[in-house]
Amino acid sequence: MSSQFTVEKTQHPKTKPDQQNLGFGKHFTDHMFLMNYTAGEGWHDARIVPYAPLSLDPAAMVFHYGQAVFEGLKAYKTEGGRVLLFRPDQNLERLNISNERLSIPQIDEALVLEGIKELVRTDADWIPTAEGTSLYIRPFIIATDAALGVHPSPQYLLIVILSPVGAYYPEGLKPVKINVESEYVRAVRGGTGVAKTAGNYAASLRAQEEAEKQGYAQVLWLDGVEKKYIEEVGSMNVFFKINGEVVTPALNGSILSGVTRRSIIQILQDKEIPVVERRISIEELYEASVNGTLEEAFGTGTAAVISPIGELNWEDKQITINKGEIGQVSQELYDTLTGIQNGKVKDTFGWTFEV
Amino acid sequence: MSSQFTVEKTQHPKTKPDQQNLGFGKHFTDHMFLMNYTAGEGWHDARIVPYAPLSLDPAAMVFHYGQAVFEGLKAYKTEGGRVLLFRPDQNLERLNISNERLSIPQIDEALVLEGIKELVRTDADWIPTAEGTSLYIRPFIIATDAALGVHPSPQYLLIVILSPVGAYYPEGLKPVKINVESEYVRAVRGGTGVAKTAGNYAASLRAQEEAEKQGYAQVLWLDGVEKKYIEEVGSMNVFFKINGEVVTPALNGSILSGVTRRSIIQILQDKEIPVVERRISIEELYEASVNGTLEEAFGTGTAAVISPIGELNWEDKQITINKGEIGQVSQELYDTLTGIQNGKVKDTFGWTFEV
């Protein structure tokens, strides 16, 4: 128990959902972590309270000018009953990077980490244990000042909510079809692509919707300047295995620096599989597919961990990867990373934080 | 009175603020207009209710993925006591353009216009009458579904709030100093620049903050691809008078199509002052300033109407415009447009809608 926070327990615990049918981000636990920011006073009143609606003035800045950032990470219950967080320090560090870009005041990362641990302890009996399930943790910060001038808000609310989530792919790691987006753009250097901010996701909805209508699971985003170089896939980072070497787009100022991305790079290095961060054009991928050297492709992110790609649709060209099957390296990376996360594989990296 | 809405009057009317000290978007009236959207049912329950906080689940999509659009327009009380809205049809048409880009369902523009009129009638005694004041009208739509998947929300709330606002420049039309932004980018073609969506404003805060620290009022945005062509100034469109001709950046897919912008173009045409929409580079402006043909510069928007620019700072070069004084055309446009808006100048365009 921590003395840094007040903890107000709910008097009305909710019924827990069926672990076999959780979906993603649909159910929320009994409590949430809150902390206020007031200009001149800083962050204050860190507390755990029953999960409840937020009451905000209709003029609150978040509704109008989108001054909002968030993170996503997971807690796992091991077979032995230990509760593990995966690299929460990395997420809180990135939250402050997002804060800086969005003119939101910096948070005390250690304090918020303690808040997350305490919240997860409080709702520990919500952590699902079925294969592939976990407790998704969503810290977010919103601007709450009730004024319509376009300026950084003098007031904010930091909130952490928890959602028990199912396996992202209930039928297993089935490679998906992806449409290479040639009209809409996710981000551009000098914009907000490196920050995990609400507006980036709003901007992506239209292309995602159109891709789904055409039977694709996600879009592959090209750079906003030349519409030529690979950036991300949906809201994930993306990797390709070409002629024995794993490549991923270098962080160029418009790509989000994913925690799963950097973990995958470290695991590849650890396994002595060649991995390079560099610029990758869509033409290069197409040529690699034609000459038979495009061996694997997968997205990486907290929600799905690894999401294998079986086909890319680029204008009138179809690029089939590994006959639409999951590749050997993709499967190995998934097994290693999820194994570390849920405690089945020894964590030699020091990535897991016991709650 | 309309039978399309229920009207619930407040039992606790607020004290009205001092008309001499209103500021912008700081005070809100006694009532607001609300309308819900539910997938399968459409928009429903249009209603006027007392102004009050919104109660939203912490998982509501607007907090996380920024699916939100808005508009800004004004109501004026004439000397004869009539209440005029300025081109509300144009704002509601643009709201639907923003909706389309953000995957938000279309609204019935006529219905929302009736709602706005009824709301303004309900709070008519809040419309200030002092010189330069008006009632600012803020319609906005937010995604309210409580789920963390990145998909268009199946539920929305449309809200209209009203704020009595002061003259944007209480000391009169004083030209401001502007910094030409060379690092941060507002928008890029294929992004959300043409939509009035929350994330665009969030993305602008950091550059605005840095400009203010250096003593500038706003930033001048260059295009996101070549960082060479003029786009907008702050959250306004921008015009320059060069060698007797008024020029403004053409709508290129990343610039917001301002209602004030198009009104200014029509007034210029009506006055037979040459006006052209085209691509304008920052180099061209600098050269025009050097050879003495850069005669005037001003921003246009609903809040300030006309905001004259006295100086541009571009890297290490200072571009002074009209010796830092307001230009003759800028002043004439301001007088004509505000005159039409507040009823002192005959509206030959059919722009004012009587409430």
Side-chain angles (χ1 to χ4, degrees), chain A residues 24-26 28 32 51-59 61-70 100-103 136 138 140-142 146-152 159 161 163 183-192 197-199 201-209 212 224-225 227 235, chain B residues 24-26 28 32 51-59 61-70 100-103 136 138 140-142 146-152 159 161 163 183-192 197-199 201-209 212 224-225 227 235:
Chain A
F24 182 80
K26 293 178 177 174
F28 299 93
M32 60 184 182
Y51 189 96
L54 303 174
S55 176
L56 291 174
D57 194 285
M61 262 200 64
V62 64
F63 299 135
H64 304 271
Y65 307 133
Q67 202 188 2
V69 295
F70 70 92
E100 188 172 350
R101 180 62 184 86
L102 273 295
S103 296
Y136 183 78
R138 167 58 58 91
F140 62 110
I141 301 175
I142 55 174
L148 297 182
V150 182
H151 281 286
I159 304 147
I161 56 177
S163 174
E183 181 184 355
Y184 298 108
V185 165
R186 177 192 166 271
V188 69
R189 203 169 316 166
T192 55
T197 180
Y201 297 80
S204 77
L205 295 172
R206 181 67 192 273
Q208 171 69 22
E209 200 176 37
E212 283 179 20
V225 173
K227 291 191 181 172
S235 52
Chain B
F24 182 81
K26 293 179 176 173
F28 298 94
M32 61 183 182
Y51 189 96
L54 303 175
S55 176
L56 291 174
D57 195 285
M61 260 200 65
V62 65
F63 298 135
H64 304 271
Y65 307 132
Q67 203 189 2
V69 294
F70 72 92
E100 189 173 349
R101 180 62 184 84
L102 273 296
S103 297
Y136 183 79
R138 169 57 59 91
F140 62 109
I141 301 175
I142 55 174
L148 298 181
V150 182
H151 280 287
I159 304 147
I161 56 177
S163 173
E183 182 183 353
Y184 297 110
V185 165
R186 176 190 166 272
V188 70
R189 204 169 314 165
T192 55
T197 180
Y201 296 79
S204 77
L205 295 171
R206 180 68 192 273
Q208 170 69 23
E209 199 176 37
E212 283 178 20
V225 174
K227 292 194 182 169
S235 52

Side-chain angles (χ1 to χ4, degrees), chain B residues 100-113:
Chain B
E100 189 173 349
R101 180 62 184 84
L102 273 296
S103 297
I104 295 174
Q106 298 284 297
I107 56 159
D108 177 342
E109 295 168 26
L111 176 80
V112 176
L113 178 53

Side-chain angles (χ1 to χ4, degrees), chain A residues 5-22:
Chain A
F5 323 113
T6 58
V7 179
E8 181 197 340
K9 291 278 183 75
T10 184
Q11 298 302 308
H12 306 283
K14 295 184 259 193
T15 304
K16 293 183 182 61
D18 174 12
Q19 287 206 21
Q20 301 308 319
N21 198 14
L22 289 171

Side-chain angles (χ1 to χ4, degrees), chain B residues 65-345:
Chain B
Y65 307 132
Q67 203 189 2
V69 294
F70 72 92
E71 276 300 326
L73 64 157
K74 283 178 174 175
Y76 298 83
K77 196 171 268 177
T78 70
E79 286 181 346
R82 295 187 303 144
V83 174
L84 301 178
L85 297 179
F86 183 72
R87 308 190 81 177
D89 54 326
Q90 301 287 302
N91 290 94
L92 294 171
E93 191 180 307
R94 188 173 62 186
L95 189 57
N96 266 337
I97 291 169
S98 299
N99 282 340
E100 189 173 349
R101 180 62 184 84
L102 273 296
S103 297
I104 295 174
Q106 298 284 297
I107 56 159
D108 177 342
E109 295 168 26
L111 176 80
V112 176
L113 178 53
E114 283 311 306
I116 288 173
K117 286 182 178 175
E118 183 72 19
L119 180 64
V120 171
R121 273 193 287 268
T122 304
D123 281 339
D125 55 352
W126 280 84
I127 308 174
T129 53
E131 179 66 28
T133 64
S134 58
L135 185 72
Y136 183 79
I137 302 167
R138 169 57 59 91
F140 62 109
I141 301 175
I142 55 174
T144 56
D145 192 46
L148 298 181
V150 182
H151 280 287
S153 174
Q155 289 181 50
Y156 301 87
L157 194 57
L158 178 149
I159 304 147
V160 184
I161 56 177
L162 306 177
S163 173
V165 297
Y168 203 80
Y169 296 106
E171 298 144 31
L173 278 179
K174 201 167 168 293
V176 293
K177 293 184 184 185
I178 302 287
N179 189 47
V180 180
E181 176 59 48
S182 51
E183 182 183 353
Y184 297 110
V185 165
R186 176 190 166 272
V188 70
R189 204 169 314 165
T192 55
V194 294
K196 209 162 171 73
T197 180
N200 291 345
Y201 296 79
S204 77
L205 295 171
R206 180 68 192 273
Q208 170 69 23
E209 199 176 37
E210 290 185 8
E212 283 178 20
K213 271 184 201 157
Q214 295 169 52
Y216 301 98
Q218 297 276 358
V219 300
L220 187 78
W221 299 105
L222 300 180
D223 76 282
V225 174
E226 299 187 59
K227 292 194 182 169
K228 186 174 171 183
Y229 298 101
I230 310 295
E231 296 239 320
E232 300 190 13
V233 57
S235 52
M236 294 184 283
N237 293 118
V238 65
F239 288 74
F240 304 93
K241 183 160 163 273
I242 302 176
N243 204 17
E245 183 181 69
V246 178
V247 294
T248 189
L251 301 177
N252 61 353
S254 55
I255 293 173
L256 189 76
S257 176
V259 177
T260 309
R261 176 186 181 278
R262 81 184 63 146
S263 305
I264 288 296
I265 291 171
Q266 284 182 259
I267 292 172
L268 285 163
Q269 289 167 338
D270 188 62
K271 290 182 188 288
E272 296 180 349
I273 296 170
V275 55
V276 178
E277 300 174 65
R278 64 170 171 84
R279 205 158 72 159
I280 305 160
S281 72
I282 181 69
E283 285 92 347
E284 179 190 347
L285 285 189
Y286 180 67
E287 283 164 24
S289 82
V290 169
N291 69 30
T293 55
L294 178 56
E295 296 155 355
E296 301 189 30
F298 55 92
T300 65
T302 293
V305 186
I306 296 278
S307 177
I309 299 168
E311 185 183 312
L312 291 172
N313 177 66
W314 177 41
E315 291 163 0
D316 58 347
K317 305 177 189 72
Q318 267 73 42
I319 304 175
T320 302
I321 300 159
N322 198 35
K323 296 173 188 149
E325 302 295 319
I326 182 166
Q328 191 194 316
V329 169
S330 308
Q331 184 71 56
E332 191 179 338
L333 289 168
Y334 179 81
D335 293 342
T336 303
L337 187 49
T338 57
I340 291 170
Q341 290 172 334
N342 64 30
K344 287 181 184 165
V345 169

Side-chain angles (χ1 to χ4, degrees), chain B residues 14-70:
Chain B
K14 294 185 257 193
T15 304
K16 293 183 182 63
D18 175 13
Q19 287 205 20
Q20 303 306 320
N21 200 12
L22 289 170
F24 182 81
K26 293 179 176 173
H27 305 280
F28 298 94
T29 67
D30 282 326
H31 299 88
M32 61 183 182
F33 177 82
L34 290 179
M35 187 164 73
N36 294 77
Y37 178 90
T38 309
E41 192 178 351
W43 288 103
H44 60 91
D45 286 303
R47 60 202 185 273
I48 290 168
V49 295
Y51 189 96
L54 303 175
S55 176
L56 291 174
D57 195 285
M61 260 200 65
V62 65
F63 298 135
H64 304 271
Y65 307 132
Q67 203 189 2
V69 294
F70 72 92

Side-chain angles (χ1 to χ4, degrees), chain A residues 100-266:
Chain A
E100 188 172 350
R101 180 62 184 86
L102 273 295
S103 296
I104 295 173
Q106 296 285 297
I107 57 158
D108 176 342
E109 296 168 26
L111 176 79
V112 176
L113 178 54
E114 282 311 306
I116 288 172
K117 285 182 178 174
E118 184 70 20
L119 180 64
V120 170
R121 272 193 286 267
T122 304
D123 282 337
D125 54 353
W126 280 83
I127 308 174
T129 52
E131 178 66 28
T133 64
S134 59
L135 185 72
Y136 183 78
I137 301 167
R138 167 58 58 91
F140 62 110
I141 301 175
I142 55 174
T144 57
D145 192 46
L148 297 182
V150 182
H151 281 286
S153 174
Q155 289 181 51
Y156 300 87
L157 194 57
L158 179 150
I159 304 147
V160 184
I161 56 177
L162 307 176
S163 174
V165 298
Y168 204 80
Y169 297 105
E171 298 144 31
L173 277 180
K174 200 167 168 294
V176 293
K177 293 184 184 186
I178 302 286
N179 189 47
V180 180
E181 176 59 46
S182 51
E183 181 184 355
Y184 298 108
V185 165
R186 177 192 166 271
V188 69
R189 203 169 316 166
T192 55
V194 294
K196 209 160 170 75
T197 180
N200 291 346
Y201 297 80
S204 77
L205 295 172
R206 181 67 192 273
Q208 171 69 22
E209 200 176 37
E210 290 185 9
E212 283 179 20
K213 272 184 200 155
Q214 294 169 54
Y216 300 100
Q218 298 276 359
V219 299
L220 187 79
W221 298 106
L222 300 180
D223 75 282
V225 173
E226 300 187 58
K227 291 191 181 172
K228 186 173 167 183
Y229 297 101
I230 309 296
E231 297 238 321
E232 299 190 13
V233 58
S235 52
M236 294 184 283
N237 293 118
V238 66
F239 288 74
F240 303 92
K241 183 161 165 269
I242 302 176
N243 203 17
E245 182 181 70
V246 178
V247 295
T248 189
L251 301 178
N252 61 354
S254 54
I255 293 173
L256 189 76
S257 176
V259 176
T260 310
R261 176 186 181 276
R262 82 185 62 149
S263 305
I264 288 295
I265 290 170
Q266 282 183 260

